Amino acid sequence: MKNRLHYFIYRFFITICLTAIFTRPTYAQSLLLGNRVEIGLNFGPTFFLGDLGGHRGYGTTFVKDLNIPLTKLMKGAFISVSPNEWLGFRLAAQYTYLAGEDKIIATNGRPESFRKGRNLDFRSDVWEAYGAIEFFPLMYLHRGEEDYEPKIRPYIFGGAGLFHFNPQGSLTDQNGNKTWHYLQPLHTEGEGFAEYPERKNYKLTQVNIPVGGGLKYLLTDNINLSGELLYRKTFTDYIDDVSTTYIDYHLFNKYLSAADANIATAISDKSTGVLTRTDPGFQRGNPKNYDAYFSFLLKVGIRIGGGNGDDANAVAHTRCPARF
């Protein structure tokens, strides 16, 4: 039901944006008191940064620990309102897909072998919506200079948002058939169990902090292209359902149904190269770093409000002269 609701919201947002493209600019200008209004679409590759997967050596953050084969596509839409050329306020809604997989890690016999032997994986749809403030530093430095109209405009931005995720892990039977199971209801690390009071059930909808920067290129007065890095800081270590240590698998029978207990027992510990299950308390993840994800986006924007060349000229010819 939640996925259907998010899909409806996303389609509704896209419909509003596309409809606005064909709306007469004077309507949007009147509605937003002459501010520059821009709507658009964006898409590009997204990368997960968490406990699962990674590259050679110790697990690290950001680009060094990426698994390129797990690159996923993000797509979304945005609307921004700018009271002037150096400041903007953005609202955006987007969808992407995140994944991590230990077995694809390339090893050279050093610390990454632990993660590869752990053999866990996950995948998750991710829906997000956020608001952000955009700042164009060069336009700010040249504010008041009417002749300064560069085609390329660097910018930075930051804000706050919400995102929804729901991780799944896989099990493969003896015939090679793979099935996927939602992980949060299985409490794979004892979240919510009385024996682990410090491990609370994690919420599937949480706050994130989007930050980044980019370059905007003005094709015309009303159409532009942007290349953008969008990074999301989160406050959860469970996007991939891995954070702390292995638990006593007998507890699954205490708290879960028989069917779920069987799945949780198998999916919580898929370690390879050992004769028995991993001992309770042994490291499963690294709780010191929250999960994160980032995207490289291509954005196409269309200005529908005030602030185009004709409006600017009209204002210039109607304001009072600087001196008499």
Side-chain angles (χ1 to χ4, degrees):
M1 180 62 70
K2 285 186 176 180
N3 285 339
R4 291 183 179 179
L5 177 60
H6 292 157
Y7 180 73
F8 174 78
I9 294 173
Y10 175 73
R11 291 293 299 270
F12 178 76
F13 189 90
I14 294 295
T15 301
I16 292 297
C17 289
L18 293 177
T19 301
I21 294 176
F22 303 100
T23 303
R24 291 179 59 187
T26 52
Y27 293 165
Q29 183 174 345
S30 299
L31 179 63
L32 294 166
L33 304 179
N35 289 331
R36 299 170 179 84
V37 182
E38 181 180 310
I39 63 171
L41 303 175
N42 56 250
F43 59 91
T46 298
F47 308 90
F48 173 69
L49 299 169
D51 288 286
L52 298 192
H55 222 273
R56 292 185 176 91
Y58 288 100
T60 61
T61 58
F62 207 50
V63 177
K64 188 265 178 187
D65 221 29
L66 295 183
N67 291 133
I68 299 302
L70 296 180
T71 302
K72 304 300 178 182
L73 182 66
M74 164 164 280
K75 45 188 177 290
F78 66 92
I79 180 170
S80 63
V81 179
S82 302
N84 52 52
E85 293 285 358
W86 54 267
L87 183 65
F89 301 94
R90 179 197 302 183
L91 292 176
Q94 299 170 151
Y95 164 79
T96 193
Y97 181 87
L98 301 178
E101 192 170 353
D102 283 336
K103 72 178 183 181
I104 69 172
I105 299 174
T107 63
N108 53 12
R110 296 197 296 185
E112 73 278 0
S113 59
F114 156 73
R115 290 179 289 147
K116 190 176 182 73
R118 182 177 53 189
N119 194 36
L120 294 175
D121 62 3
F122 95 102
R123 69 181 187 183
S124 179
D125 293 313
V126 177
W127 297 86
E128 66 178 5
Y130 70 88
I133 298 176
E134 303 171 337
F135 177 65
F136 294 78
L138 295 183
M139 300 306 295
Y140 177 78
L141 293 175
H142 293 273
R143 65 190 184 281
E145 300 179 20
E146 295 183 3
D147 295 333
Y148 186 74
E149 292 290 337
K151 290 287 188 179
I152 299 178
R153 304 182 180 187
Y155 63 93
I156 57 176
F157 63 91
L162 293 173
F163 72 106
H164 178 82
F165 65 103
N166 197 0
Q168 293 178 305
S170 74
L171 289 175
T172 302
D173 64 22
Q174 296 179 346
N175 298 320
N177 300 314
K178 180 181 288 190
T179 57
W180 289 88
H181 307 270
Y182 287 106
L183 296 170
Q184 190 226 30
L186 300 178
H187 307 269
T188 57
E189 293 188 354
E191 313 96 283
F193 291 0
E195 290 79 1
Y196 299 93
E198 75 285 0
R199 302 184 189 184
K200 307 300 182 184
N201 285 315
Y202 60 88
K203 298 182 183 301
L204 297 179
T205 299
Q206 301 208 26
V207 173
N208 64 9
I209 303 295
V211 295
L215 292 174
K216 175 179 285 190
Y217 177 72
L218 305 184
L219 292 174
T220 69
D221 285 341
N222 295 317
I223 301 176
N224 64 76
L225 297 176
S226 298
E228 178 176 294
L229 168 65
L230 171 56
Y231 178 89
R232 283 70 133 213
K233 174 180 174 58
T234 77
F235 301 92
T236 179
D237 197 28
Y238 279 104
I239 293 179
D240 55 11
D241 194 64
V242 175
S243 178
T244 56
T245 60
Y246 291 90
I247 69 169
D248 181 355
Y249 69 94
H250 294 99
L251 293 175
F252 294 131
N253 293 310
K254 177 179 178 180
Y255 290 99
L256 305 179
S257 66
D260 284 347
N262 289 335
I263 295 173
T265 299
I267 210 167
S268 63
D269 186 355
K270 301 194 296 181
S271 300
T272 59
V274 294
L275 297 178
T276 59
R277 294 183 62 87
T278 307
D279 292 336
F282 193 80
Q283 181 181 359
R284 189 170 185 262
N286 179 10
K288 295 181 180 179
N289 296 318
Y290 289 134
D291 295 335
Y293 58 104
F294 69 96
S295 308
F296 290 108
L297 298 178
L298 175 64
K299 302 175 61 181
V300 181
I302 299 176
R303 180 175 288 181
I304 61 172
N308 58 30
D310 294 338
D311 293 336
N313 290 334
V315 172
H317 284 89
T318 56
R319 61 188 175 194
C320 295
R323 60 174 62 90
F324 295 92

